[in-house]
Amino acid sequence: MVDKDVVRRGYDELAETYAAERSETDRERAALEAFFESLPASPTLLDAGCGQGTPVLRRGSEDGGAAAVGVDFSREQLELAAANAPIASLVRGDLTDLPVRDGTFDAVIALHSLIHVPVDDHRTVLEEFARVLRPGGRVLVSEGLEEWRGENPDWLETGVEMQWHVAGAATRTQLRETGFEIVDERGVSGTLREDERWVYVAGRLEK
């Protein structure tokens, strides 16, 4: 089981290292571009688990018309996000209880953040995404193709522990159960282990 306090402390402690190691793949970039193209003009955007603010908040800020908000529970990550996306609004909070009003956003993006939430809380997070979206709003979530859980006591050779629980196909099922129609899936080579593969899942809120 993922311990959220371990994850939060880990991202606080290795914020600079993770920011230096984080790179946007061609497929990730393509998935984001396709997602942004599906949004209305001047969208309101929530980056759920925004980390250091790249690539989503920076991309949203550069888009000009987007009103971007980032939520993360790591103070250190939010400090980096403030530098990387200075015009974005930033809030410290938990994905299972988003500190925003119902029906606020046109889009929610969660890149490599749901996988750090205890698996029993994944559905709650997706319900929160549905709650804060307007009808017809869009969500983009990165997930693994198969379920996998693990921990690394020396992640990125920093001596800092990190934990994951990838839910695999259950995420697509739970998206449908929480009111989303799956409109796009894109596979991406992963980094957690040699045979892991990521998939970007885009959904549209049907209600």
Side-chain angles (χ1 to χ4, degrees):
M1 174 67 73
V2 168
D3 184 330
K4 289 194 289 185
D5 286 334
V6 169
V7 174
R8 176 184 49 76
R9 287 195 301 268
Y11 274 110
D12 276 343
E13 291 176 23
L14 55 75
E16 296 284 352
T17 300
Y18 181 76
E21 294 285 337
R22 174 73 164 91
S23 61
E24 187 180 3
T25 67
D26 289 341
R27 290 184 178 181
E28 180 178 85
R29 189 176 298 108
L32 281 174
E33 287 302 318
F35 186 76
F36 273 97
E37 288 173 4
S38 74
L39 302 182
S42 303
T44 51
L45 167 69
L46 175 67
D47 186 359
C50 64
Q52 72 269 20
T54 60
V56 175
L57 288 181
R58 178 178 286 174
R59 169 66 174 77
S61 299
E62 291 172 348
D63 201 43
V69 177
V71 172
D72 205 286
F73 63 0
S74 165
R75 290 187 185 276
E76 297 298 324
Q77 294 288 338
L78 286 172
E79 288 189 9
L80 293 178
N84 289 324
I87 68 172
S89 299
L90 301 174
V91 183
R92 189 165 184 253
D94 192 304
L95 300 189
T96 62
D97 187 18
L98 292 170
V100 293
R101 294 192 297 270
D102 296 2
T104 300
F105 296 100
D106 297 305
V108 174
I109 298 179
L111 295 188
H112 309 307
S113 55
L114 184 61
I115 61 171
H116 290 301
V117 175
V119 70
D120 290 345
D121 292 336
H122 281 202
R123 184 186 177 102
T124 298
V125 173
L126 298 179
E127 289 172 345
E128 280 291 276
F129 292 171
R131 178 183 68 79
V132 303
L133 281 170
R134 299 185 176 110
R138 302 273 178 153
V139 67
L140 180 66
V141 178
S142 63
E143 226 345 320
L145 288 174
E146 298 179 357
E147 183 179 0
W148 178 81
R149 69 178 71 197
E151 58 186 47
N152 187 334
D154 186 28
W155 194 38
L156 303 178
E157 300 180 348
T158 60
V160 175
E161 182 179 1
M162 188 52 63
Q163 299 176 351
W164 303 267
H165 196 155
V166 177
T171 296
R172 273 87 88 197
T173 299
Q174 290 181 343
L175 278 167
R176 295 185 181 97
E177 291 173 349
T178 51
F180 291 97
E181 173 193 7
I182 305 270
V183 296
D184 191 20
E185 294 188 47
R186 295 168 183 258
V188 186
S189 296
T191 56
L192 292 184
R193 60 179 188 175
E194 288 293 326
D195 59 341
E196 187 69 46
R197 283 182 60 82
W198 290 114
V199 62
Y200 290 135
V201 183
R204 182 179 61 84
L205 190 63
E206 294 185 293
K207 67 180 181 180

